[in-house]
Amino acid sequence: MTTTDLAAGQAVAPRTLPKAGAALDRWRVPLTIAVLAVLPFVLPSQALAVNVLIYGLFTVGFNLLFGYTGLLSFGHAAFFGAGAYLTGMSIAHFGFGWFPAMLTGIVGASLLSAVIGALSIRTRGIYFCMVTLALAQLVYYVALQASGWTGGENGLRGFTVAKADLIGGFSVNLLNPLAKYYFIMFFAALALWFVSRVLNSPFGAAIEAVRENETRARACGFDVERTKLLSFVLSGGLCGLAGTLSALHLSIVPLDALSVHTSSIVVMMTMLGGAGSFFGPFVGALVFLLIEDVASLWTSHWQLIVGIVFILFVLFLPKGIWGSLIQIVRRRRAS
């Protein structure tokens, strides 16, 4: 059974793509890393470049669930915030080093996503969206009330990682913006490699089959619920990784990291870049953050400008910026 069969007749196997599309698919990880490597030198500030990395990785995690599995969650801030909070608390309250703290954040976010996913995948459509939103809000209010651990409304403060000690006696100065960028990019690159391997595996074909036609996927013998749950957990773990990197970057964890606003931002970034595309999440994060950065200089109501841009993209470029470009290239190569 081919990937094409599983995806209900839609050609997703690499060998069915035009030559340009197949080459782009084969080299997508190194090409993405190459583009990310030059961002600090082409963007207005290195701080903006770091934010593009972190939120791009956050969007990659969300895109695995929404773009590739077809499940729209309104609660992914829970995993981003959980990764950030657990990393910060591990350092501030228990004196962990940066790496054990990161592992704590990733594992904690993955476990949380397993619990929320197990409860959410029993529902479909708008009910799935509402359940994820409700459970994420529950996590938000737990963090708000546990002020002794999380700082409550003021967020978690009091931890700073000035340098990251590596194997062999080397260390990275995280107070240097450029060094911090490439430190974070290393983990983003590992995550991109992992996602690419997942998408190229039989499991990647299975989640796309679920997205295209859940009934046919079940008829083909797939355990749809288990596939959804595993996709949910992988997505939550990647979002947790983004949260841990955000905590190391900012040295604080604001309560907004768990808010519904953060969940809505990742949805917008995914739609702007192109749901179901590999490089789209970083394009969406870049466009969103650039609009925010520029529009906030003009007006305090920059959200209005972002909202208008988002509506225009949904109406005229429903596949997003990168998704539309890929579609145009493939059509021209096929004609």
Side-chain angles (χ1 to χ4, degrees):
M1 184 176 294
T2 66
T3 307
T4 305
D5 297 326
L6 295 175
Q10 185 176 25
V12 295
R15 63 176 178 274
T16 65
L17 297 175
K19 291 181 180 180
L24 187 64
D25 186 70
R26 184 166 56 252
W27 294 96
R28 59 189 177 186
V29 174
L31 287 175
T32 301
I33 294 173
V35 172
L36 295 178
V38 302
L39 276 187
F41 306 103
V42 298
L43 292 183
S45 68
Q46 292 172 343
L48 177 61
V50 172
N51 284 333
V52 170
L53 261 186
I54 292 172
Y55 280 95
L57 180 57
F58 182 22
T59 310
V60 166
F62 177 78
N63 188 45
L64 181 63
L65 184 71
F66 174 53
Y68 289 101
T69 315
L71 300 176
L72 174 58
S73 166
F74 285 157
H76 259 51
F79 315 127
F80 179 81
Y85 267 110
L86 290 172
T87 299
M89 287 190 294
S90 297
I91 297 172
H93 298 312
F94 301 105
F96 283 15
W98 67 272
F99 189 67
M102 283 187 65
L103 287 179
T104 302
I106 296 169
V107 172
S110 300
L111 292 176
L112 179 63
S113 64
V115 174
I116 293 180
L119 297 172
S120 302
I121 62 170
R122 301 172 184 271
T123 59
R124 295 182 181 181
I126 189 63
Y127 301 104
F128 177 86
C129 301
M130 293 298 101
V131 170
T132 56
L133 174 60
L135 293 173
Q137 287 300 98
L138 178 62
V139 175
Y140 174 89
Y141 284 110
V142 168
L144 177 62
Q145 296 301 317
S147 56
W149 290 95
T150 65
E153 292 182 345
N154 297 321
L156 182 64
R157 303 171 186 271
F159 69 95
T160 300
V161 180
K163 66 175 183 176
D165 294 321
L166 307 177
I167 298 174
F170 297 99
S171 63
V172 178
N173 180 12
L174 297 183
L175 299 180
N176 182 317
L178 193 60
K180 179 191 291 185
Y181 178 87
Y182 287 112
F183 173 79
I184 293 175
M185 196 188 83
F186 171 77
F187 292 98
L190 287 180
L192 287 170
W193 172 82
F194 173 75
V195 171
S196 181
R197 292 298 300 268
V198 168
L199 295 178
N200 286 335
S201 70
F203 177 74
I207 62 174
E208 292 194 45
V210 171
R211 179 193 65 192
E212 297 299 330
N213 194 319
E214 183 177 326
T215 302
R216 181 174 293 185
R218 184 175 282 108
C220 289
F222 286 100
D223 189 334
V224 172
E225 283 67 32
R226 183 178 296 178
T227 301
K228 287 181 179 180
L229 180 58
L230 183 54
S231 177
F232 202 104
V233 173
L234 292 176
S235 175
L238 289 168
C239 293
L241 172 60
T244 66
L245 295 173
S246 175
L248 295 179
H249 167 53
L250 298 175
S251 296
I252 62 170
V253 182
L255 185 61
D256 282 348
L258 289 167
S259 70
V260 65
H261 175 67
T262 303
S263 291
S264 64
I265 283 177
V266 74
V267 175
M268 294 179 67
M269 288 179 175
T270 304
M271 297 296 292
L272 286 173
S277 60
F278 190 79
F279 188 59
F282 288 99
V283 175
L286 174 62
V287 171
F288 182 93
L289 293 172
L290 272 177
I291 295 174
E292 177 186 351
D293 193 55
V294 173
S296 61
L297 298 176
W298 298 341
T299 174
S300 59
H301 304 293
W302 60 267
Q303 296 95 333
L304 178 63
I305 298 176
V306 172
I308 293 173
V309 171
F310 179 71
I311 291 172
L312 291 175
F313 270 94
V314 170
L315 290 175
F316 300 106
L317 285 177
K319 291 187 177 297
I321 299 172
W322 188 252
S324 298
L325 286 175
I326 293 297
Q327 186 180 49
I328 291 171
V329 169
R330 287 176 176 173
R331 283 179 177 175
R332 290 184 176 179
R333 295 290 300 182
S335 61

